[in-house]
Amino acid sequence: MKKKLIAGNWKMNGSLAANETLVKGLLAGLGAPVCQVALCVPSVYLAQCQALMAHGAMSLGSQDVSQHEVGAFTGEISAAMLQEFGVHYCIVGHSERRQYHFESDVLVATKAQRVLACGITPIVCVGETLAEREAGRTEEVVKRQLAAVIHANGCCISEVVVAYEPVWAIGTGKTASIEQAQQVHAVLRQQLQAASNQADRIPIIYGGSMNAANAAQLLAQPDIDGGLVGGASLKVSDFLSIIASAC
Ligand code: 13P
């Protein structure tokens, strides 16, 4: 059976002191989990978290990457730089980047290519807004977002993680119902199957107000292979209990 993946997305939260408490608390409570656990931290804390997590049971992740390989791009961070800090996963196309930084489907697909070329697994986020869901456009939107990544990455598509994050469920306390989430995951699975004969091993994880109370039910669905957890990944006990639901 495929191992579930539980990835925390700290977003723009943390401090040297808070990170140390959080990571040490997680490591102390984790033991040897039978699922995969990752922490996607702000880039300035990669070195700190790499050191804190060395030899531990969690993988390091980043939250974004430049679409460029190298050069005069002030403020950007390349995939090769992430690789130097032991980054294993990199979120690309998070809805907050699509919304606030106007990232297009093509740009997100290029970012996925950049990290794959450095041996880093992209966590490709897709998801519809509330207006798109209410207009009955959920499938069309998530398929369009994923199609760009499939198109740009060819057979490497089997090396990605896909995260379905309905925009209206992020940070709002509103979770997609179990049926809504499973239904979209099944659509994404079919799309991946049409693109790759390895599709069944591609993790499709759910994000959007996942918490200690709803994780077990979501993670029990046949096409939900894990979670991308925002707010609840900042609290040791909440994140550990989500991990326990997955293991
Ligand atoms: P919340 O879990 O805070 O809703 O955030 C989800 C998310 O955006 C993870 O990437």
Side-chain angles (χ1 to χ4, degrees):
M1 207 174 86
K2 196 166 34 182
K3 278 189 185 175
K4 302 257 190 226
L5 167 64
I6 303 295
N9 174 9
W10 288 2
K11 308 194 180 184
M12 199 173 73
N13 292 291
S15 67
L16 289 171
N19 301 345
E20 184 167 346
T21 308
L22 179 53
V23 173
K24 285 187 173 166
L26 290 172
L27 288 172
L30 259 183
V34 292
C35 62
Q36 318 240 9
V37 181
L39 300 180
C40 300
V41 309
S43 297
V44 285
Y45 295 131
L46 284 172
Q48 181 203 16
C49 291
Q50 182 187 27
L52 285 169
M53 289 159 66
H55 316 300
M58 298 189 289
S59 304
L60 188 58
S62 68
Q63 299 174 10
D64 189 31
V65 68
S66 172
Q67 84 223 65
H68 303 288
E69 246 181 290
V70 67
F73 301 102
T74 302
E76 295 279 11
I77 293 174
S78 73
M81 293 171 186
L82 297 178
Q83 187 187 32
E84 282 200 301
F85 287 88
V87 166
H88 190 90
Y89 294 101
C90 177
I91 297 172
V92 297
H94 192 280
S95 64
E96 288 149 14
R97 300 230 35 111
R98 292 180 191 262
Q99 187 181 348
Y100 306 133
H101 301 269
F102 310 106
E103 294 197 358
S104 67
D105 297 340
V106 172
L107 178 78
V108 172
T110 306
K111 289 185 172 195
Q113 273 180 311
R114 287 282 174 246
V115 294
L116 280 167
C118 288
I120 296 169
T121 302
I123 300 179
V124 177
C125 298
V126 299
E128 81 289 2
T129 63
L130 186 58
E132 289 163 341
R133 173 162 284 271
E134 285 175 351
R137 295 183 49 220
T138 299
E139 272 195 32
E140 170 209 323
V141 169
V142 297
K143 285 171 90 170
R144 187 202 71 222
Q145 292 171 334
L146 184 56
V149 179
I150 292 172
H151 178 74
N153 289 279
C155 59
C156 288
I157 197 65
S158 59
E159 306 305 319
V160 313
V161 171
V162 176
Y164 169 54
E165 296 206 309
V167 179
W168 49 272
I170 294 177
T172 57
K174 286 186 201 155
T175 321
S177 71
I178 310 301
E179 296 75 26
Q180 284 171 327
Q182 164 56 28
Q183 197 243 333
V184 177
H185 281 237
V187 164
L188 295 170
R189 178 84 63 208
Q190 275 172 15
Q191 190 179 3
L192 291 166
Q193 277 163 345
S196 164
N197 56 13
Q198 308 270 328
D200 289 344
R201 72 184 186 87
I202 302 175
I204 307 178
I205 65 179
Y206 170 82
S209 298
M210 185 181 265
N211 57 40
N214 61 27
Q217 263 199 310
L218 284 161
L219 294 168
Q221 300 310 302
D223 289 300
I224 300 185
D225 302 316
L228 184 54
V229 185
S233 73
L234 298 170
K235 294 189 199 112
V236 172
S237 58
D238 288 3
F239 198 49
L240 285 176
S241 83
I242 294 173
I243 293 165
S245 311
C247 297

